[in-house]
Amino acid sequence: MDPWRLIYHPDGDTADVVSHGAAVAEGRIAGKYQLSTTLVPNTVIVQRSRTRGIIAGADVRVDRDAAASAGIEVAQAPRQGRNSARAVSTVPLGELMAKGSRKFDAEEVEPDDPSVILYTSGTTGNPKGVTLTHRNFHYQCTTVVPSIIPFTPKDTVVGVLPLYHVYGLANGLVATLLFGARFVMVPQYSPAALLEAIAENEATIMPAIPSMYQHLLTIARARSTAMPRSLRYCVSGGAPLPLAVLREFADVFETEISEGYGLTETTSSVCCNLSGEGYKEGSIGRAATGVEMRVVDEAGGEVSPGEVGEIVIRSDTVTPGYWNNREATAAAFSGDGWFHTGDLGYRDEEGVFFITDRKKDLIIRGGFNISPREVEEVIMLHPKVHEAAVIGVKDKRGEDTVKAFVVVMKDKTLSEREIIDHCTDTVAPYKMPRIIEFVETLPKSATGKVLRSDLRGETVDMRLVEQETA
Amino acid sequence: MFGRKRKAQEAARGGGLPIGLGRALEEMVRRHRRREALVFEGKTVTYQELEESANRVASGLADYGIRKGDRVAMMMPNIPEFAYTFFAIQKLGAVAVPFNTMYKGREISFILKDSGARAIVCLSNFANLINELREDCPDLEHVIVTGQRTLVFLDPDATVNVQIVCERSAFGSSDGALREIGVVLVDTLAELGVKDAWYKHQGAVRVGGRKIATILLSEIENLYVANVVTFLKQMDAEPLFKVLYVPPEIKDKALEPMTGIAEAAGNEVTFEQFKDAISSVLAARLGIHLEPGELTRDELIAYEKNRALANRI
């Protein structure tokens, strides 16, 4: 075999790493068309960059200033055209579209045909596929949403929530388009990108999660320039929004802001704590139009106001069941069609709902139920605590013990003793955290919910790829 | 506010939106044809344009055999192609299976297998991640890619970039090329003291589930271009997160679990040693003898042009 050429570049820069390969490929192709007589051999290029760098695809927006100050070079990969290199065994969407027809009439579907399957990770075992039907989306957008979010065709909606999540998909993209409004897509969340999207497009409605509201406020506090005032209605969901954040945000951005509640299984929102007169701190509000909601005991009987039980929901916005998973479906529904959310909570005299905990997060010690959320709230009252999460861990005798994970405020120090002392005054002895672990961050889901199952160590690392055994 | 709310309610109910997301979109396009539906990085897409693009994807997917009831997976961030693909699937009467773009490995293969997805539309960055799971997902026939959002991180102490540009005939099929390059990498790593590296077909080289090298094979005209990144040691990704915003609580999920030669072999290896090792393995395994060379005059012109483009941003 003819020898191959080795090009060895131990000290190039980031742009070199992109350019060498491209140059060799182009040079060869050009040679072919010019019927060049000097045959260029097959080539292996071994190279590295002498500084840190990022080679970014043509569509990526990289923060150039941040890169420069971090000493990171940025080089753009060449934009791929119709005739440029393409990854093997794939079909470019652009090519598929170019061949496709501009006209296509929608197929007739039945209301109960599945339209989307969304996978939610359970605490243990494999994720479950939640089947959502055309009826579910239709009902969510035409009946539930209008009682929660006042969309009109004149609105501009910020699409910052990921569209693979039910909240972003059902209350964001689909609802916006079925109301004839305008949807601003934010491909990669950063506080600055979100603020820019709101300001440049004069966005009027924003569904988002608590951490995003917090981040926007952090920017607002740091900047002397005025914040955009175009937002007129915001919804927070996915995790509880601290009241202080809600108030400050409403004030700084001159907008209404409400807290919603919903699940993948309910095609997102089913409940909303509307700001204004009916607002109740810490609640998820009343059931939305078209949604029946109850609090039940273990036997499925409705409990009286103020009593904690499991929240169950019945509505046309509720999934018919889990994909390929009859057991999970049977376990989640009671005979008369009530969907069991697994969330514990209560209803007050006025029909306003409050969530206390996830059923599976409940800690049981000496026969007493301990609400992790209650203990967390006490710990978070400490001025040096940024965030806290509480779980039950088994002690030597196999009984639940309260363990707290604590994230300390930036630049502050805090001892175990200080936390214990702080809790002693406010919580019953059996609820006291026995183990305290300081951590830098808490594991969270895409919508910012703390993943207690990760803290319990129940989740296996599903990201690893196993080697098949021959 | 309540007056507005009632009006919105009536607009939605009284408007008689059909049940069925494909038909419902058609109805909204009839009502709002010229109005803006999507805004993305300063560009706008009208309702009519959105529908036309969705139609093109729908008929394109139909050409690939996707029918009513089939599942089509989606792995994309919030880009217009997400909306085109989502509504294309709805117009086909098929079932959309969008999932978290941070998923890796078994998370993805479980969803693809469980849903029985026949096709996936994903960001081009994820092509490798999906391709290497194809053997485990027999229902998956088509990997459709979009967007140019790939990111390659370079670190002088941690990463080595190897590019192979050759005639396709040097390897035969793309399958064969990937397999041979995979074997070369596993052998090179073994020579450098990493004993338990293995290659997952169409994908990456790993040690105990953690990635140590990636291979991306592209084709252009009569050529294969392979881009290989190998980690000499575990890369410190922290500086990169200063440039690309990732919320702190999901940082550990943003990248696949990785390792490097230093960690896997227990001793550090220089860039030079890596070059020598891969050169000798290419000779021993594939009979490829490398002779040191430089770029030709034609290539230098192409190199200057590409450098200018790379620095243009």
Side-chain angles (χ1 to χ4, degrees):
Chain A
M1 196 151 57
D2 288 330
W4 287 35
R5 175 175 57 161
L6 170 70
I7 292 179
Y8 179 58
H9 274 282
D11 288 308
D13 62 12
T14 304
D16 276 341
V17 176
V18 200
S19 311
H20 281 131
V24 171
E26 275 182 33
R28 285 191 68 131
I29 289 165
K32 191 180 79 173
Y33 288 122
Q34 289 157 8
L35 301 172
S36 171
T37 46
T38 50
L39 187 74
V40 181
N42 290 329
T43 302
V44 176
I45 307 163
V46 182
Q47 57 186 339
R48 74 170 158 187
S49 166
R50 59 178 142 63
T51 53
R52 281 211 173 90
I54 295 175
I55 301 173
D59 296 337
V60 183
R61 282 211 290 176
V62 177
D63 185 340
R64 305 285 293 182
D65 297 336
S69 64
I72 294 174
E73 292 179 336
V74 181
Q76 195 172 48
R79 186 169 282 283
Q80 308 276 293
R82 191 71 66 82
N83 298 315
S84 49
R86 52 184 264 192
V88 296
S89 319
T90 61
V91 180
L93 183 68
E95 213 173 280
L96 177 144
M97 288 174 75
K99 281 192 229 150
S101 161
R102 208 155 54 80
K103 296 207 185 312
F104 190 94
D105 287 333
E107 295 280 340
E108 199 66 60
V109 293
E110 295 300 320
D112 293 319
D113 283 347
S115 75
V116 177
I117 304 171
L118 291 173
Y119 282 80
T120 59
S121 37
T123 37
T124 47
N126 287 320
K128 288 182 287 189
V130 179
T131 308
L132 297 175
T133 64
H134 291 279
R135 187 194 300 282
N136 290 152
F137 276 97
H138 183 263
Y139 201 72
Q140 172 71 210
C141 291
T142 59
T143 306
V144 177
V145 168
S147 72
I148 291 175
I149 313 173
F151 281 110
T152 72
K154 289 211 172 85
D155 278 304
T156 293
V157 182
V158 189
V160 65
L161 295 168
L163 296 177
Y164 55 73
H165 191 277
V166 74
Y167 186 18
L169 185 67
N171 294 143
L173 180 70
V174 175
T176 302
L177 296 180
L178 296 193
F179 276 94
R182 199 164 84 118
F183 192 69
V184 179
M185 302 183 111
V186 182
Q188 218 222 323
Y189 170 71
S190 75
L194 174 56
L195 187 62
E196 194 186 304
I198 298 170
E200 283 188 359
N201 301 290
E202 295 181 1
T204 55
I205 291 182
M206 178 165 75
I209 58 173
S211 60
M212 293 174 180
Y213 290 108
Q214 255 152 348
H215 292 160
L216 288 178
L217 278 181
T218 310
I219 301 185
R221 287 187 209 121
R223 283 195 197 166
S224 51
T225 50
M227 288 293 112
R229 304 268 196 269
S230 59
L231 289 172
R232 66 180 184 92
Y233 199 86
C234 295
V235 189
S236 176
L241 179 71
L243 180 67
V245 176
L246 183 146
R247 289 210 176 120
E248 193 181 344
F249 193 86
D251 195 42
V252 172
F253 287 83
E254 292 178 12
T255 175
E256 282 188 65
I257 171 167
S258 297
E259 261 196 281
Y261 167 78
L263 298 97
T264 305
E265 287 89 339
T266 61
T267 327
S268 200
S269 61
V270 285
C271 217
C272 197
N273 187 11
L274 297 166
S275 59
E277 279 170 37
Y279 181 82
K280 281 204 181 178
E281 185 180 348
S283 87
I284 54 166
R286 289 187 172 81
T289 307
V291 175
E292 290 178 89
M293 211 158 137
R294 278 185 186 171
V295 181
V296 300
D297 58 22
E298 290 287 325
E302 192 166 6
V303 301
S304 33
E307 211 175 307
V308 172
E310 184 175 10
I311 292 180
V312 297
I313 296 170
R314 200 161 62 173
S315 169
D316 271 351
T317 200
V318 171
T319 174
Y322 299 102
W323 183 261
N324 256 343
N325 197 339
R326 281 202 192 155
E327 295 100 85
T329 304
F333 287 89
S334 52
D336 42 4
W338 289 94
F339 171 70
H340 287 246
T341 62
D343 278 325
L344 297 178
Y346 61 92
R347 207 189 83 155
D348 71 8
E349 299 281 355
E350 292 165 50
V352 173
F353 288 84
F354 293 78
I355 301 281
T356 51
D357 287 287
R358 289 290 294 166
K359 205 172 172 183
K360 53 188 178 263
D361 289 335
L362 213 61
I363 305 166
I364 302 166
R365 183 170 176 83
F368 289 108
N369 284 350
I370 303 172
S371 154
R373 191 155 160 191
E374 182 192 336
V375 182
E376 285 166 4
E377 277 168 10
V378 170
I379 298 173
M380 280 196 269
L381 286 175
H382 193 287
K384 288 183 189 167
V385 171
H386 173 62
E387 270 187 312
V390 165
I391 59 165
V393 293
K394 299 272 181 251
D395 66 11
K396 273 182 238 151
R397 288 167 302 163
E399 221 199 340
D400 277 353
T401 298
V402 179
K403 176 172 182 181
F405 293 83
V406 177
V407 182
V408 181
M409 290 259 190
K410 236 186 182 171
D411 311 319
K412 297 274 194 304
T413 53
L414 189 61
S415 70
E416 269 182 48
R417 192 69 255 162
E418 284 174 86
I419 293 175
I420 304 271
D421 288 346
H422 164 80
C423 293
T424 311
D425 304 334
T426 27
V427 304
Y430 71 96
K431 293 181 186 171
M432 280 291 286
R434 306 283 149 175
I435 311 166
I436 291 168
E437 188 176 328
F438 291 99
V439 289
E440 276 182 38
T441 54
L442 295 174
K444 286 182 184 165
S445 71
T447 55
K449 211 174 280 169
V450 174
L451 298 170
R452 291 201 183 87
S453 53
D454 273 19
L455 294 171
R456 283 194 291 261
E458 283 166 1
T459 42
V460 281
D461 194 344
M462 288 274 286
R463 299 172 304 148
L464 298 181
V465 173
E466 306 292 331
Q467 182 171 13
E468 46 279 44
T469 40
Chain B
M1 181 202 138
F2 285 98
R4 269 205 304 261
K5 200 164 76 181
R6 201 168 307 120
K7 231 186 276 168
Q9 242 162 357
E10 280 158 13
R13 286 223 195 97
L17 210 55
I19 303 185
L21 284 173
R23 284 279 157 90
L25 179 73
E26 288 177 350
E27 174 58 29
M28 295 317 286
V29 172
R30 259 192 291 280
R31 291 186 204 170
H32 299 288
R33 206 165 288 283
R34 298 237 160 92
R35 292 181 69 104
E36 291 174 4
L38 306 175
V39 184
F40 178 73
E41 297 192 333
K43 293 189 194 75
T44 57
V45 178
T46 65
Y47 274 82
Q48 179 162 357
E49 288 164 345
L50 164 63
E51 196 196 20
E52 282 179 7
S53 293
N55 288 348
R56 285 185 183 282
V57 179
S59 70
L61 287 172
D63 288 343
Y64 278 94
I66 302 300
R67 299 282 176 264
K68 189 171 166 177
D70 285 342
R71 272 79 61 205
V72 179
M74 299 171 61
M75 190 182 184
M76 275 181 271
N78 296 7
I79 56 177
E81 288 79 2
F82 187 106
Y84 306 156
T85 306
F86 181 79
F87 283 102
I89 295 167
Q90 300 309 326
K91 292 194 95 176
L92 281 163
V95 184
V97 187
F99 60 85
N100 195 324
T101 50
M102 286 205 298
Y103 280 173
K104 315 270 191 278
R106 265 168 54 208
E107 290 170 319
I108 300 173
S109 60
F110 176 82
I111 291 172
L112 294 177
K113 270 187 289 190
D114 188 62
S115 65
R118 291 187 59 202
I120 181 168
V121 183
C122 66
L123 208 56
S124 55
N125 310 27
F126 307 135
N128 249 29
L129 215 53
I130 304 296
N131 269 341
E132 71 173 354
L133 301 170
R134 283 176 97 154
E135 283 183 328
D136 313 335
C137 307
D139 297 321
L140 186 68
E141 293 164 47
H142 311 291
V143 176
I144 300 155
V145 298
T146 186
Q148 298 181 33
R149 299 184 163 267
T150 44
L151 287 170
V152 179
F153 298 147
L154 307 178
D155 181 317
D157 303 320
T159 57
V160 179
N161 293 72
V162 176
Q163 283 154 332
I164 301 172
V165 182
C166 65
E167 296 286 323
R168 287 205 219 188
S169 56
F171 285 109
S173 67
S174 63
D175 249 30
L178 280 164
R179 216 175 284 280
E180 294 199 355
I181 295 167
V183 166
V184 164
L185 281 169
V186 168
D187 283 5
T188 303
L189 290 165
E191 192 138 314
L192 296 168
V194 181
K195 298 298 176 210
D196 45 3
W198 54 279
Y199 164 68
K200 172 107 179 165
H201 185 48
Q202 295 205 320
V205 180
R206 292 187 176 77
V207 177
R210 293 172 173 275
K211 208 178 245 190
I212 193 164
T214 63
I215 309 166
L216 179 67
L217 184 68
S218 309
E219 48 196 1
I220 174 167
E221 303 219 357
N222 58 324
L223 302 178
Y224 281 135
V225 178
N227 277 285
V228 180
V229 180
T230 311
F231 299 103
L232 294 182
K233 64 175 200 181
Q234 174 127 27
M235 187 176 63
D236 173 15
E238 203 53 43
L240 302 164
F241 290 133
K242 288 191 183 129
V243 181
L244 298 157
Y245 181 85
V246 176
E249 60 269 15
I250 55 172
K251 267 184 194 168
D252 59 336
K253 294 193 184 118
L255 298 176
E256 241 197 290
M258 294 189 299
T259 185
I261 296 174
E263 290 76 14
N267 58 284
E268 300 222 348
V269 167
T270 65
F271 177 65
E272 178 96 30
Q273 283 172 318
F274 181 87
K275 186 247 319 177
D276 292 342
I278 197 167
S279 303
S280 73
V281 171
L282 279 167
R285 262 284 180 178
L286 306 181
I288 291 174
H289 295 280
L290 296 177
E291 278 179 9
E294 289 302 325
L295 295 181
T296 65
R297 203 181 61 98
D298 280 355
E299 288 169 338
L300 274 171
I301 294 165
Y303 164 79
E304 289 302 336
K305 187 197 83 186
N306 277 288
R307 261 195 75 88
L309 288 173
N311 286 324
R312 195 193 38 171
I313 342 175

